[in-house]
């Protein structure tokens, strides 16, 4: 896949607490904040945003790292170029004080900026609230954002933090105990649902992490766990990115069913009275 020139997306900036970042948008209707995985907003992430827009929502993509639209697939760019770009994006994250990669029981500081963005997009787009999808490194951000009552549809796609280099880190997720308690209370009182997606063999997202979320959130945590054989065989990387790189976008495919479940969550929570568009 070639680089995406961002046609179909509007661009602006958003500033909160002294931090200004670019924001891409597509669609109309209630906002869904789409948080890209490493190395950034790839063409596959933009395709997912297109699905969100087609479902009747506004896809809102903050640029947290990387170059929007750049294709990082080694099959397209070659391994050396892809590796350099991925390493550059990861370095941006590692040296930033806004991201927490290893610490347990703590949310990344960038979540405060993301909550402010979600509040502003709710004001801009209207509707009952907003949705959020975090992917890989940003997966747990959608959970921490759900302390805000405006966040009605959090989705954690292959949440990979903290890095699972010890058993305690594998059995937790990047959110503080206070914030997790606030989300749990919303689940109990408001019927909030939290959706999680992973491939069963993904070492970056161990099964213990989803088991932890089941214990903490009970039936409010809706887990979608896929066999590795469901991943797109054309991808050169091991099964990981459920909604993007490893999606097989064909009816009946398990990853397509996972995508449809995510979009149905947005329709149910943000567009309850709207008819479902044809696929």
């Amino acid at each position: 896949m070639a680089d995406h020139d961002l046609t179909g997306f509007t661009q602006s900036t958003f500033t909160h607490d002294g931090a200004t970042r670019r924001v891409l948008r597509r669609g109309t209707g209630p906002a869904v904040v789409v948080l890209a995985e490493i190395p950034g907003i790839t063409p596959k992430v933009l395709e997912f945003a297109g699905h969100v827009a087609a479902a009747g929502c506004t896809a809102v993509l903050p640029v947290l790292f990387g170059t929007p639209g750049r294709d990082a697939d080694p099959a397209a760019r070659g391994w050396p170029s892809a590796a350099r770009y991925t390493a550059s994006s990861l370095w941006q994250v590692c040296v930033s004080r806004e991201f927490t990669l290893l610490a347990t029981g703590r949310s990344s500081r960038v979540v405060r900026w993301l909550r402010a963005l979600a509040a502003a997009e709710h004001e801009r787009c209207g509707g009952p609230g907003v949705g959020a999808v975090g992917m890989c490194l940003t997966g747990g951000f959608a959970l921490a954002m759900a302390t805000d009552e405006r966040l009605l549809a959090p989705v954690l796609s292959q949440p990979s933090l903290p890095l699972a280099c010890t058993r305690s880190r594998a059995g937790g997720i990047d959110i503080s105990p206070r914030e997790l308690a606030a989300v749990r209370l919303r689940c109990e009182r408001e019927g909030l649902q939290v959706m999680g997606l992973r491939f069963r063999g993904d070492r970056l997202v161990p099964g213990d992490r989803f088991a932890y979320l089941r214990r903490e959130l009970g039936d409010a945590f809706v887990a979608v766990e896929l066999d590795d054989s469901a991943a797109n065989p054309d991808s050169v990387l091991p099964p990981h990115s459920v909604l993007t790189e490893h999606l097989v976008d064909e009816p009946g495919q398990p990853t397509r069913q996972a995508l449809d479940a995510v979009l149905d969550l947005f329709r149910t929570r943000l567009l309850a009275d709207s008819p479902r568009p044809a696929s």
Side-chain angles (χ1 to χ4, degrees):
M1 180 175 289
D3 291 350
H4 194 298
D5 64 4
L6 306 183
T7 297
F9 290 82
T10 62
Q11 300 188 54
S12 64
T13 60
F14 177 72
T15 301
H16 174 72
D17 198 23
T20 299
R21 295 182 172 90
R22 292 170 63 193
V23 179
L24 311 181
R25 293 183 186 83
R26 180 172 180 176
T28 58
V32 173
V33 180
V34 178
L35 306 173
E37 56 208 327
I38 290 290
I41 301 174
T42 64
K44 292 288 187 180
V45 173
L46 293 169
E47 278 190 5
F48 172 75
H51 286 298
V52 171
C57 297
T58 302
V60 179
L61 298 88
V63 181
L64 302 181
F65 40 75
T67 302
R70 177 165 176 172
D71 186 9
D73 188 346
R77 307 193 79 95
W79 279 101
S81 176
R84 285 194 298 271
Y85 176 49
T86 299
S88 173
S89 295
L90 189 56
W91 179 250
Q92 283 182 262
V93 171
C94 289
V95 300
S96 172
R97 295 165 61 185
E98 295 291 289
F99 297 86
T100 299
L101 300 185
L102 293 174
T104 58
R106 201 168 86 193
S107 303
S108 291
R109 288 175 54 186
V110 72
V111 169
R112 296 196 294 269
W113 187 91
L114 292 169
R115 289 195 193 107
L117 173 66
E121 292 302 321
H122 182 219
E123 182 76 17
R124 174 199 295 265
C125 299
V130 302
V133 183
M135 304 176 184
C136 186
L137 181 147
T138 66
F141 295 0
L143 182 65
M145 289 171 67
T147 58
D148 190 314
E149 63 184 10
R150 285 164 286 211
L151 201 294
L152 301 183
V155 177
L156 288 55
S157 191
Q158 72 270 3
S160 303
L161 294 184
L163 298 177
C165 48
T166 66
R167 175 171 290 184
S168 63
R169 292 186 174 95
I173 196 165
D174 53 334
I175 187 172
S176 71
R178 178 183 59 81
E179 290 172 323
L180 182 58
V183 174
R184 186 190 307 115
L185 189 62
R186 288 196 62 205
C187 292
E188 294 169 353
R189 293 184 175 178
E190 304 171 25
L192 179 72
Q193 284 190 332
V194 177
M195 182 177 289
L197 304 94
R198 66 180 287 267
F199 287 103
R200 290 188 175 92
D202 190 350
R203 294 185 179 182
L204 291 174
V205 194
D208 286 353
R209 181 159 297 156
F210 273 32
Y212 171 77
L213 289 168
R214 288 188 186 95
R215 289 195 304 271
E216 293 294 327
L217 302 179
D219 292 341
F221 180 62
V222 179
V224 178
E225 298 180 276
L226 306 175
D227 291 336
D228 289 8
S229 60
N232 190 339
D234 293 333
S235 176
V236 298
L237 301 174
H240 177 63
S241 302
V242 177
L243 300 174
T244 55
E245 301 300 327
H246 291 99
L247 171 69
V248 182
D249 196 3
E250 300 172 0
Q253 290 288 337
T255 50
R256 169 65 176 272
Q257 292 171 346
L259 169 63
D260 288 342
V262 170
L263 298 176
D264 281 343
L265 178 66
F266 296 150
R267 294 185 185 104
T268 299
R269 298 290 170 156
L270 306 177
L271 300 164
D273 298 326
S274 299
R276 176 173 176 166
S279 299

